[in-house]
Amino acid sequence: MSRKTIIAANWKMNMTPSETAVFLEPFLQSFPEATAADIVIAPPFVSLAKAAEGLGAHPAVALAAQNMSHEASGAFTGETSAAMLGDVGCAYVILGHSERRSLYGEGDSVINQKVHAALAAGLKPILCIGESLEERDGGQLEFVLSQQLEGSLAGIAAAAMADIVIAYEPVWAIGTGRTASPEQAQETQAYVRSVLANLFGGKVAGATRIQYGGSVKPGNAAELISQPDIDGFLVGGASLDPTSFAEIIRASL
Ligand code: 13P
């Protein structure tokens, strides 16, 4: 089963609108317009419009938000709806990132509501899952990942999985410089795919793209992407520099 590689930049709370414009100019010139991969950039909300302007109708680079409300509209001060994200030019939305889960108390039930709301608005969720070091060391890895997948994907039809990307991000590898080894990531992502097969059938699981995230750098991307169940990356720190993000893309093609 061939799956198109998908490399996404999660800028987290970095990059003002002006910095976004400065990033995009050299970045878009650093690889051919059409690539064998889908490339996604997820700036903060306030920089989305500037990024959309810089990207134009780029054939390979799409825009994502880093979060959204599960509500459609109304009295929800400080929140942003799926329709707003679509209108500003987003094709994707990152949901359930470990920082949202651990720092802002998001659990699988609200993440599940967000997945439904995103799909209903025509956005493609990049659904993040991952275990802490304590959970891995305590033998809870498979339990935690299967719970996150079952909870976040409750009520999702098998056909809708074509629009969902899973990002496996071990919490202990995020921003720590401590990448999962290619073997660790492969073994875990093969497990993630087996859970998807139980939930949606083997054909759907075989077609679902699963990214790895956690200290991905130009120097480790090629070895990670060579693993059969790693279909791309969700990159934090190394995506803030246009040269290093472009190097990660080149190493992944
Ligand atoms: P780093 O690449 O900085 O480890 O961040 C990974 C991440 O959380 C992407 O969503």
Side-chain angles (χ1 to χ4, degrees):
M1 171 71 61
S2 90
R3 295 176 293 265
K4 190 173 185 190
T5 299
I6 177 164
I7 316 278
N10 176 8
W11 284 352
K12 308 192 179 184
M13 199 171 74
N14 299 290
M15 297 291 220
T16 62
S18 323
E19 288 166 344
T20 297
V22 168
F23 175 100
L24 284 178
E25 220 184 282
F27 174 69
L28 293 177
Q29 283 164 13
S30 56
F31 58 89
E33 278 239 318
T35 77
D38 288 330
I39 297 158
V40 180
I41 294 189
F45 289 127
V46 293
S47 299
L48 285 170
K50 188 57 110 179
E53 192 185 307
L55 291 178
H58 197 285
V61 186
L63 198 57
Q66 301 173 14
N67 182 29
M68 55 168 248
S69 173
H70 60 282
E71 301 284 358
S73 65
F76 302 103
T77 301
E79 293 293 308
T80 304
S81 72
M84 292 168 186
L85 298 180
D87 192 75
V88 79
C90 290
Y92 294 85
V93 58
I94 298 171
L95 296 175
H97 190 276
S98 74
E99 287 145 23
R100 300 298 318 169
R101 291 175 185 265
S102 67
L103 303 174
Y104 299 97
E106 287 190 20
D108 291 318
S109 147
V110 75
I111 295 165
N112 178 240
Q113 288 178 274
K114 292 182 182 201
V115 172
H116 281 275
L119 291 170
L123 294 176
K124 299 181 166 93
I126 297 176
L127 172 65
C128 303
I129 57 168
E131 82 290 358
S132 67
L133 195 55
E134 298 70 48
E135 288 163 342
R136 179 175 272 263
D137 289 348
Q140 299 290 298
L141 173 67
E142 296 192 348
F143 175 75
V144 169
L145 296 180
S146 62
Q147 291 289 300
Q148 289 176 344
L149 285 167
E150 282 168 31
S152 306
L153 294 171
I156 297 297
M161 287 305 292
D163 288 327
I164 297 181
V165 175
I166 306 293
Y168 166 61
E169 301 203 297
V171 176
W172 46 271
I174 294 177
T176 58
R178 182 181 164 190
T179 325
S181 70
E183 296 73 25
Q184 270 175 327
Q186 165 55 29
E187 190 184 355
T188 311
Q189 298 201 187
Y191 173 72
V192 168
R193 204 176 297 287
S194 77
V195 175
L196 294 175
N198 285 337
L199 294 174
F200 301 106
K203 193 158 173 242
V204 167
T208 303
R209 297 187 288 182
I210 306 175
Q211 296 175 312
Y212 167 79
S215 299
V216 174
K217 304 268 181 304
N220 59 25
E223 205 184 350
L224 285 162
I225 203 75
S226 70
Q227 302 297 318
D229 285 293
I230 298 181
D231 305 316
F233 301 119
L234 185 52
V235 187
S239 73
L240 295 172
D241 173 63
T243 310
S244 82
F245 189 49
E247 273 179 47
I248 290 172
I249 293 166
R250 273 196 297 272
S252 309
L253 296 176

